[in-house]
Amino acid sequence: METSATASAVVDIRELHTRYGMAVVHKNVSLTVQPGEVFALVGGSGCGKSTLLRAVIMLLRPVSGSIRVFGREVIGLNDEQALPLRRRWGVMFERGALFSSLTVAENVAMVLREHTRLSAGLIDEVVALKIALTGLPADAGSKYPSELSGGMRKRAALARALALDPELLFLDEPTAGLDPLSASGIDELVRNLRDTLGLTIMLVTHDLDLLWRAADRVAVLDGGHILGVGSMAELSQMEHPAIREYFYGPRGRAAREQAWKKK
Amino acid sequence: MPADHIAQLLIEADASAISVPVRCTGAWTVRGIAALERQLAQMDWPAASDLVFDGSAISALDTAGAWLLHRTLHALQQRGKNVQVNGLRPEFDTLLQLVASRSAHAEPVLPARVGLLENIGRRAWRNLWSLSDMLAFVGESATVLLRSLMQPSRIRWRAILYNLQTAGFEAMPIIGLLTFLMGVVIAYQGADQLQRFGANIFIVELVGLSMVRELAPLLTAIIIAGRSGSAYAAQIGTMKITEEIDALRTIGVGSQELLVLPKLLALVIALPLLTVFADVTGIFGGMIMASSKLDVSFNTFINRLDEAVSLSSFLVGIVKAPVFAAIIALVGCFQGFQVSGSADSVGRQTTVSVVQSIFLVILADALFSIVFNWFEL
């Protein structure tokens, strides 16, 4: 947290080109994520939001361009060089990606066991705290991922992403597939985490409610380009047809009205 | 690690004072608290009733650090001391509050321990159920098979052909190679003994009969169990985890009809054919060995083979193959359906499928021997 307080951006993407097989996914994408903000990537299905996220967390190697995280170039790093960076961020995958043969508590504890020298007793307590922080009931810790509902699985995945108290959190579709109540629980959780732990959060989502409630800045991706970046209020004023379609479609309007009512 | 990155706790002033200041410094983070935690475990707290924690020198605090602080404060309060925390940065204070507010829910829940006796009982119960499930599965497969045979239009020929190719045709190189080598080995082992009695020509009986009656069907079945039986279990198991099996059911397509039947039928067709192929390559291996070590020429060998291996011997070998095929396909598919929940389970059931099908194949082979013995074949 203390290092992210420096003036430079936490994530700095410049002129990024990526390809998935033969298909070009991103052409000349540049954007920055500032410390302490909740930054969202939005766009239609298949526009490369998740691919961009995968490039930043070093699961996909871009064709050209530069990605700096905490001021360090991540493209071309080997696993050993990447480790110090990877310990500073947490990733929550779209479908949770919890280790299915471990209980929820073991899933979270595994990260702590691998990367810290804390005693087993303290690890158990910290794990229980993380599970409680994400709003799961205490007995969820001893369950296996297959015994959890979709919403609980998301929360468990979040607990694992938070295990090392990362400075930067990547969330891929944190609310996809959740009922509205669980989803708004996640909205609140995201905001809470940012406020209390001072996290920087970069997330990919389709969820307009989440965007209105939690995102500080939003980048709209379409056809491999960034159409616009700004707060939701700014974006909703933009004239670009694709953006207007996104925000003024029936669901977009409803979410916007909801957001205004809240304010 | 520089001192600034390590959490520290310093007790100041003399221990006899009523109110003792405790200074917290450094980074109270998940990476910085390891040493402090060990130190705290055997800390001698002063006898004073009031402890005043000064948090102004804490440079960083995360949830793990906040938890350690909270836990320490809580333990001291339990021992009847008055504790106070001063000088925390506001954001750290919020975090400490948050952790404290969640601590009520944050008791680690330990899984219940299972005793030895209970474990044995559970295992026995599970195995018993698994046996009855297996029987139910075989029965269900049989009814689905009968229904399909009565309505041949429902049989998925394309899937059968695909399985014939992957489980049958594509297995030919490995089966050919292994049985060829087996023929070579048998002839090589037998050559010495036969030469001693001058009974060189009996190499034909040795290789021909052992190959045709026992080794070719058994070896082929074992290779297929390892190659295709495991693949069936893994494929169906993964589909079970990704809920594809459930999806099939909701669409109204029987998973048995789509997944099991084509595999079963394809293997029942393929395994006898592969066994014939294995007969040929195995005997060819023995033939090469016979001509190089025992001076039995190819011509003599083949002429003799006609008398040595009767049609019934050949059929005894071939008849077993469809039974082995049914065992392999049914066990592989059944174990696939037994997968539940985790990736671990896919691995476990795949292993079980191979072990069980090889065991059952050998068992069936022994039963066949007894039965053939009765009929004096």
Side-chain angles (χ1 to χ4, degrees):
Chain A
M1 274 155 270
E2 66 282 4
T3 39
S4 62
T6 50
S8 64
V10 177
V11 180
D12 186 0
I13 302 173
R14 291 212 183 128
E15 289 163 24
L16 189 75
H17 290 250
T18 58
R19 212 182 288 157
Y20 210 88
M22 290 301 288
V24 174
V25 183
H26 300 114
K27 286 166 278 185
N28 210 5
V29 166
S30 300
L31 51 85
T32 58
V33 179
Q34 299 302 327
E37 76 175 346
V38 177
F39 188 92
L41 289 169
V42 302
S45 294
C47 70
K49 309 177 298 275
S50 294
T51 309
L52 188 58
L53 200 67
R54 288 176 72 84
V56 177
I57 58 181
M58 290 188 256
L59 292 177
L60 182 115
R61 209 187 160 124
V63 179
S64 67
S66 133
I67 301 175
R68 289 173 163 273
V69 181
F70 300 121
R72 185 135 188 230
E73 179 63 52
V74 301
I75 297 174
L77 287 188
N78 62 29
D79 280 348
E80 202 180 325
Q81 294 163 326
L83 190 62
L85 275 176
R86 286 189 167 139
R87 283 184 187 184
R88 291 173 70 184
W89 73 50
V91 183
M92 176 184 147
F93 289 91
E94 183 175 353
R95 282 186 289 176
L98 291 164
F99 304 118
S100 55
S101 53
L102 303 179
T103 63
V104 170
E106 287 167 346
N107 261 286
V108 182
M110 193 193 122
V111 187
L112 288 162
R113 286 215 183 91
E114 288 293 318
H115 292 306
T116 69
R117 291 178 298 122
L118 304 183
S119 71
L122 184 61
I123 286 183
D124 285 346
E125 289 170 18
V126 171
V127 165
L129 176 69
K130 302 274 149 140
I131 290 172
L133 271 178
T134 51
L136 284 172
D139 65 337
S142 58
K143 290 193 175 141
Y144 285 91
S146 55
E147 299 169 333
L148 299 180
S149 70
M152 287 169 89
R153 222 173 289 165
K154 287 251 152 119
R155 284 168 190 265
L158 190 58
R160 187 179 68 184
L162 289 172
L164 281 179
D165 277 293
E167 300 155 49
L168 173 60
L169 194 59
F170 296 101
L171 308 175
D172 194 355
E173 301 277 5
T175 56
L178 295 188
D179 65 281
L181 209 64
S182 303
S184 66
I186 295 268
D187 299 350
E188 213 163 296
L189 197 59
V190 169
R191 258 198 328 238
N192 252 332
L193 288 172
R194 197 264 313 270
D195 294 343
T196 50
L197 304 178
L199 291 179
T200 308
I201 298 174
M202 186 170 178
L203 56 88
V204 164
T205 188
H206 284 298
D207 183 348
L208 285 153
D209 287 313
L210 175 66
L211 290 173
W212 279 108
R213 291 208 199 139
D216 297 318
R217 282 197 310 144
V218 178
V220 184
L221 266 121
D222 187 59
H225 296 284
I226 290 192
L227 296 184
V229 183
S231 70
M232 283 299 276
E234 286 163 16
L235 282 175
S236 59
Q237 302 304 319
M238 283 188 189
E239 289 301 321
H240 197 290
I243 297 183
R244 291 197 76 77
E245 198 182 330
Y246 200 84
F247 288 99
Y248 289 91
R251 306 190 62 142
R253 206 174 302 139
R256 206 165 72 100
E257 277 158 15
Q258 269 287 316
W260 287 123
K261 255 184 243 164
K262 285 246 166 190
K263 280 170 192 170
Chain B
M1 233 189 288
D4 184 40
H5 288 167
I6 299 174
Q8 278 180 319
L9 205 137
L10 305 165
I11 299 172
E12 292 173 340
D14 52 315
S16 56
I18 298 170
S19 165
V20 177
V22 181
R23 220 155 67 82
C24 310
T25 62
W28 286 57
T29 60
V30 71
R31 273 181 281 285
I33 59 171
L36 179 64
E37 189 217 340
R38 277 189 285 280
Q39 187 198 334
L40 278 173
Q42 40 202 251
M43 184 95 163
D44 280 327
W45 292 99
S49 65
D50 286 25
L51 293 169
V52 182
F53 283 75
D54 174 14
S56 59
I58 292 181
S59 59
L61 184 73
D62 65 9
T63 47
W67 172 259
L68 188 67
L69 185 56
H70 170 75
R71 186 175 85 161
T72 310
L73 298 176
H74 191 69
L76 287 170
Q77 276 167 343
Q78 293 281 308
R79 285 156 64 180
K81 299 200 188 274
N82 288 322
V83 289
Q84 217 183 326
V85 185
N86 294 331
L88 270 183
R89 284 194 225 161
E91 67 267 29
F92 293 169
D93 198 40
T94 331
L95 184 58
L96 190 62
Q97 300 298 334
L98 177 75
V99 167
S101 72
R102 296 291 178 150
S103 71
H105 317 275
E107 286 304 313
V109 179
L110 296 175
R113 283 199 173 277
V114 181
L116 177 69
L117 218 55
E118 190 181 343
N119 207 355
I120 294 173
R122 273 173 197 260
R123 271 169 177 271
W125 187 246
R126 216 171 27 228
N127 286 339
L128 209 64
W129 270 115
S130 157
L131 193 69
S132 87
D133 284 351
M134 175 82 197
L135 286 176
F137 182 80
V138 173
E140 203 183 327
S141 303
T143 50
V144 172
L145 179 65
L146 279 179
R147 210 183 316 144
S148 298
L149 289 181
M150 291 203 275
Q151 271 179 291
S153 61
R154 286 175 68 111
I155 296 179
R156 290 161 201 273
W157 297 105
R158 189 176 284 270
I160 292 179
L161 283 177
Y162 172 77
N163 276 300
L164 268 177
Q165 186 187 344
T166 52
F169 181 71
E170 285 171 16
M172 282 176 73
I174 182 72
I175 286 174
L177 179 66
L178 288 181
T179 47
F180 172 80
L181 291 175
M182 194 45 86
V184 168
V185 168
I186 290 173
Y188 188 79
Q189 292 294 331
D192 251 8
Q193 310 293 327
L194 292 171
Q195 222 161 15
R196 209 172 295 165
F197 300 107
N200 290 15
I201 192 65
F202 285 102
I203 191 74
V204 182
E205 269 88 349
L206 178 68
V207 173
L209 283 178
S210 60
M211 261 301 152
V212 164
R213 287 186 73 108
E214 285 297 331
L215 285 174
L218 207 55
L219 216 56
T220 311
I222 289 174
I223 294 168
I224 293 296
R227 202 178 164 276
S228 301
S230 58
Y232 297 163
Q235 184 215 342
I236 294 177
T238 312
M239 287 179 77
K240 187 99 190 287
I241 286 187
T242 53
E243 295 179 324
E244 287 172 58
I245 304 280
D246 297 340
L248 277 178
R249 191 169 300 159
T250 57
I251 295 168
V253 178
S255 52
Q256 287 262 349
E257 203 178 292
L258 185 72
L259 296 173
V260 181
L261 215 55
K263 293 182 173 65
L264 179 67
L265 289 176
L267 218 52
V268 167
I269 296 169
L271 207 59
L273 297 176
L274 284 171
T275 305
V276 174
F277 174 67
D279 286 345
V280 173
T281 52
I283 289 173
F284 181 62
M287 214 158 83
I288 286 179
M289 217 52 215
S291 81
S292 70
K293 283 240 355 170
L294 295 171
D295 299 323
V296 177
S297 72
F298 283 11
N299 249 334
T300 335
F301 195 103
I302 289 172
N303 285 335
R304 173 87 187 167
L305 194 64
D306 203 22
E307 303 161 31
V309 181
S310 62
L311 180 65
S312 69
S313 291
F314 172 74
L315 288 180
V316 158
I318 299 301
V319 159
K320 294 194 251 186
V323 178
F324 293 169
I327 290 174
I328 294 166
L330 287 176
V331 168
C333 294
F334 171 70
Q335 292 300 343
F337 281 108
Q338 293 298 100
V339 165
S340 64
S342 66
D344 225 21
S345 165
V346 178
R348 201 164 43 236
Q349 288 334 92
T350 308
T351 312
V352 170
S353 85
V354 176
V355 172
Q356 267 186 6
S357 52
I358 290 178
F359 170 77
L360 289 174
V361 160
I362 293 176
L363 192 71
D365 192 51
L367 290 177
F368 270 118
S369 297
I370 296 171
V371 172
F372 290 145
N373 208 16
W374 276 345
F375 293 110
E376 291 175 354
L377 281 170

